[in-house]
């Protein structure tokens, strides 16, 4: 029999499982990780994350280590036609709204080493490699996990075990598949010569062979070649084919090391439910999408932080388990937006008909390669229904503040938890003892802003522009809701308490 029941068991130890282990372990929870492979996979896969994901790494305490193995994009992301004319130009330079570089490229083995090394420092997390889960069963108290050699118990189980997830298969949840299938040969290389890649990342929208040319992280380059009609996967996925397709780009064995070549089938689908009792799904186990928007791994890491703060409250007995039902409703809607955006980009890129490509080129060139004019309109990415008010649910920016004797980016000053920003209003002037005690229980920080401590001069103008005196920001940085007058703040806190289904201490 197992010696103890873990708070959480995570099946899978890729970036999503690693981030979950890190976030939950840092909160003091007893976390077990079961990874089927005895050694980490040493080949590249995901290569991009955005500024929001940089903020998530910041919350996990690893952002400096991650940025050390990352190439921030210094310029723009460009699409060109066969003649070299720009069809689309997206500015990826500089710092994004979340306080970190707008776009970043990395090698996944390097990222996994950073995350794994930090997880290993936590006494609260037990990582067991070479443990493939072969059976699961659950009751009202927890989950029994069986591997080929051992048995484990946990209160909650998260399947972060990839596109072929055992946990998802065990749940038997149906999926929605949008039927967007394309095969692409992914070729990862290490250039051996010194040269400048400008722009760093771009798409060749040539109907003869649409091709992606991007960074693979520091000192690496990636090419992606669409499979053409009549080509088989077998003949495409060979070193000889990879070198033949790289040759027009001046790449050959004399100046390039071929690190990996493989064919991926780009898909667009998601599991309809991400929770079944005490079993939950995250990352590729819950959704897959084409890579054209660079949001596959990013979406999985957003899953992780959304689930981590909710599980933390449930495990501490501060919130009811029903809070976890909002994980699916919030994240599924957000992921559908990312998938829709990826498909919209793919439908522009994956054009093999010369006449249709010429028509596309004329339209996009006439639009001045301006994303606002040449891409299909998309609604803003909002969380679905859940722990938010109807007018909220969007990602909030991160700026520098001074609070509690510390200056820095907001999340570093307040820590991982809820944050309430006010227009100079002190918490004691807004809330009674009961509501202040509730905020303490959920780990919330109230920051009264003034012209002196709003160091970038950004938060106060934003609040005032929208007529708000206070705003509640969730631990995953999305807006819960805002108050327009001081008297509304108590009601805002009461609504949050109801959303979390918080139990009174006398109820146990």
């Amino acid at each position: 029999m197992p010696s103890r029941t873990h708070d959480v068991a995570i099946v899978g130890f890729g970036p999503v499982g690693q981030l979950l282990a890190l976030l939950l372990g840092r909160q003091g929870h007893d976390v077990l990780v079961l990874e089927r492979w005895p050694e980490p996979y040493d080949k590249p896969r995901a290569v991009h994350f955005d500024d929001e994901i940089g903020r998530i790494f910041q919350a996990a305490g690893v952002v400096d280590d991650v940025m050390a193995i990352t190439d921030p994009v210094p310029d723009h992301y460009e699409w060109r036609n066969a003649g070299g004319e720009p069809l689309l130009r997206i500015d990826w330079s500089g710092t994004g709204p979340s306080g970190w570089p707008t776009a970043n490229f990395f090698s996944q083995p390097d990222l996994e080493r950073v995350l794994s090394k930090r997880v290993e420092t936590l006494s609260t997390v037990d990582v067991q490699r070479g443990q493939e889960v072969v059976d699961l069963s659950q009751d009202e108290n927890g989950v029994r996990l069986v591997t080929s050699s051992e048995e484990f118990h946990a209160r909650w189980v998260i399947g972060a075990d990839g596109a072929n997830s055992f946990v998802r298969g065990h749940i038997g949840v149906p999926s929605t598949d949008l039927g967007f299938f394309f095969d692409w040969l992914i070729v990862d290389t290490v250039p051996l010569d010194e040269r400048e890649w400008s722009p760093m990342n771009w798409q060749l929208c040539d109907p003869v062979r649409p091709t992606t040319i991007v960074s693979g992280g520091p000192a690496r380059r990636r090419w992606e070649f669409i499979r053409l009609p009549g080509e088989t996967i077998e003949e495409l996925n060979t070193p000889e084919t990879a070198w033949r397709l790289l040759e027009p780009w001046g790449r050959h064995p004399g100046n390039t090391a071929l690190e990996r070549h493989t064919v991926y089938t780009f898909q667009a689908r998601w599991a309809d439910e991400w929770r079944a009792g005490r079993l939950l799904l995250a990352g590729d186990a819950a959704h897959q999408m084409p890579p054209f928007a660079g949001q596959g791994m990013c979406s999985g890491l957003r899953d992780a932080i959304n689930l981590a703060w909710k599980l933390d409250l449930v495990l501490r007995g501060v919130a009811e388990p029903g809070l976890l039902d909002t994980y699916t409703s919030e994240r599924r809607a957000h992921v559908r937006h990312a998938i829709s955006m990826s498909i919209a980009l793919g439908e522009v890129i994956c054009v093999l008909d010369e006449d249709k490509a010429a028509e596309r080129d004329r339209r996009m060139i006439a639009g001045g390669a301006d994303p606002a004019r040449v891409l299909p309109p998309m609604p803003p990415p909002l969380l679905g229904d859940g722990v938010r008010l109807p007018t909220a649910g969007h990602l909030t920016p991160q700026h520098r503040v001074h609070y509690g004797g510390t200056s820095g980016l907001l999340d570093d000053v307040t820590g991982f938890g809820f944050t309430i920003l006010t227009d100079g209003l002190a918490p004691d002037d807004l809330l009674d003892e009961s509501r202040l005690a509730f905020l303490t229980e959920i780990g919330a920080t109230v920051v009264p802003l003034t012209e002196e401590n709003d160091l970038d001069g950004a938060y106060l103008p934003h609040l005032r522009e929208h007529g708000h005196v206070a705003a509640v920001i969730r631990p995953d940085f999305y807006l819960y809701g805002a108050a327009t007058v001081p008297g509304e703040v108590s009601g805002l806190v009461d609504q949050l308490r109801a959303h979390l289904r918080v139990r009174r201490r006398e109820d146990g």
Side-chain angles (χ1 to χ4, degrees):
M1 291 295 293
S3 59
R4 68 178 188 270
T5 297
H6 301 272
D7 290 330
V8 178
I10 300 169
V11 182
F13 200 50
V16 174
Q18 290 171 332
L19 181 65
L20 275 163
L22 195 50
L23 290 171
L24 290 168
R26 280 164 59 91
Q27 295 299 108
H29 301 299
D30 176 4
V31 179
L32 169 71
V33 179
L34 300 175
E35 166 56 51
R36 65 179 297 194
W37 301 109
E39 299 294 335
Y41 186 62
D42 64 352
K43 301 300 182 186
R45 283 147 290 154
V47 294
H48 168 267
F49 67 84
D50 58 28
D51 59 299
E52 180 187 355
I53 304 308
R55 190 175 182 181
I56 292 175
F57 288 139
Q58 177 191 352
V62 293
V63 71
D64 290 338
D65 293 335
V66 170
M67 297 309 295
I69 53 96
T70 298
D71 263 346
V73 176
D75 50 18
H76 50 271
Y77 175 41
E78 188 168 285
W79 298 4
R80 299 174 182 170
N81 67 5
E85 298 169 287
L87 305 179
L88 176 73
R89 182 173 289 150
I90 302 174
D91 186 3
W92 271 2
S93 64
T95 300
S98 289
W100 295 100
T102 301
N104 309 271
F105 282 77
F106 65 98
S107 175
Q108 186 167 331
D110 291 343
L111 175 64
E112 291 193 14
R113 277 191 288 272
V114 167
L115 296 176
S116 179
K117 183 178 180 181
R118 187 58 62 92
V119 169
E120 289 170 3
T121 68
L122 298 176
S123 62
T124 52
V125 182
D126 177 14
V127 178
Q128 300 206 18
R129 295 185 182 270
Q131 292 277 20
E132 181 176 3
V133 177
V134 297
D135 193 23
L136 291 167
S137 59
Q138 63 173 315
D139 57 29
E140 65 275 10
N141 297 314
V143 183
R144 171 178 169 266
L145 304 97
V146 179
T147 70
S148 55
S149 59
E150 294 186 57
E151 177 181 315
F152 303 90
H153 283 184
R155 296 168 64 187
W156 299 92
V157 168
I158 305 168
D161 48 344
N164 299 314
S165 168
F166 171 83
V167 178
R168 186 186 67 239
H170 176 84
I171 294 173
V173 61
S175 295
T176 296
D177 194 321
L178 300 185
F180 186 84
F181 296 99
F182 286 95
D183 296 325
W184 285 67
L185 173 66
I186 313 300
V187 181
D188 288 296
T189 71
V190 179
L192 305 177
D193 55 347
E194 293 288 336
R195 63 158 292 179
E196 180 182 0
W197 304 91
S198 181
M200 179 188 283
N201 308 285
W202 63 288
Q203 296 279 350
L204 174 61
C205 300
D206 183 351
V208 173
R209 174 92 70 176
T211 302
T212 300
I213 309 97
V214 296
S215 169
R220 287 179 166 86
R221 296 295 295 173
R222 168 174 287 185
W223 277 262
E224 301 177 358
F225 304 97
I226 199 170
R227 181 171 70 89
L228 300 176
E231 287 182 325
T232 67
I233 291 177
E234 291 72 24
E235 66 188 11
L236 189 64
N237 192 23
T238 68
E240 294 77 17
T241 300
W243 285 121
R244 175 173 59 82
L245 294 175
L246 288 172
E247 184 178 0
W249 303 94
R251 299 289 96 191
H252 53 76
N255 63 14
T256 303
L258 185 62
E259 190 170 25
R260 185 189 73 145
H261 63 86
T262 190
V263 173
Y264 275 106
T265 300
F266 298 162
Q267 302 183 59
R269 64 183 183 182
W270 60 84
D272 293 339
E273 294 295 334
W274 300 5
R275 178 192 177 195
R278 292 180 172 271
L279 305 177
L280 301 118
L281 303 174
D284 286 353
H287 47 78
Q288 295 97 53
M289 68 187 70
F292 304 114
Q295 291 300 307
M297 185 195 75
C298 293
S299 294
L301 298 180
R302 292 186 188 98
D303 297 343
I305 194 168
N306 184 298
L307 186 53
W309 73 259
K310 292 174 181 175
L311 264 175
D312 171 57
L313 295 181
V314 171
L315 287 166
R316 290 197 284 116
V318 176
E320 295 287 355
L323 173 64
L324 298 175
D325 289 333
T326 66
Y327 168 60
T328 298
S329 60
E330 289 182 354
R331 289 295 308 134
R332 185 178 57 200
H334 202 274
V335 160
R336 289 179 65 176
H337 177 275
I339 291 175
S340 296
M341 180 168 56
S342 299
I343 290 176
L345 297 179
E347 287 174 339
V348 177
I349 295 168
C350 301
V351 176
L352 302 179
D353 182 276
E354 291 189 6
D355 292 337
K356 292 181 179 179
E359 179 183 348
R360 172 202 62 196
D361 295 354
R362 285 191 293 271
R363 177 181 62 81
M364 297 182 78
I365 292 171
D370 180 357
R373 297 173 62 191
V374 303
L375 291 179
M378 296 290 294
L382 296 174
L383 296 176
D385 291 339
V387 186
R388 69 175 182 88
L389 299 187
T391 56
H394 56 271
L395 182 65
T396 62
Q398 180 180 212
H399 305 292
R400 294 181 309 128
V401 300
H402 180 84
Y403 176 74
T406 301
S407 297
L409 289 170
L410 177 69
D411 304 340
D412 286 336
V413 171
T414 61
F416 184 61
F418 283 89
T419 298
I420 302 179
L421 301 179
T422 76
D423 188 347
L425 302 171
D428 290 346
D429 296 332
L430 291 171
L431 302 167
D432 60 19
E433 289 187 7
S434 172
R435 293 181 177 94
L436 290 172
F438 160 69
L439 293 181
T440 299
E441 191 172 25
I442 65 171
T445 302
V446 182
V447 181
L449 294 168
T450 66
E451 277 77 6
E452 288 71 33
N453 70 356
D454 183 12
L455 298 180
D456 291 329
Y459 281 124
L460 278 176
H462 184 82
L463 284 172
R464 291 167 182 173
E465 177 186 352
H466 291 84
H468 295 151
V469 298
V472 178
I473 302 171
R474 302 171 7 148
D476 55 3
F477 327 126
Y478 284 78
L479 182 67
Y480 170 76
T484 58
V485 295
E488 291 180 353
V489 177
S490 292
L492 190 62
V493 171
D494 290 342
Q495 287 173 295
L496 176 59
R497 190 191 328 232
H499 267 129
L500 300 182
R501 302 175 177 87
V502 172
R503 297 181 299 184
R504 298 190 303 270
R505 290 193 180 277
E506 57 266 33
D507 293 335

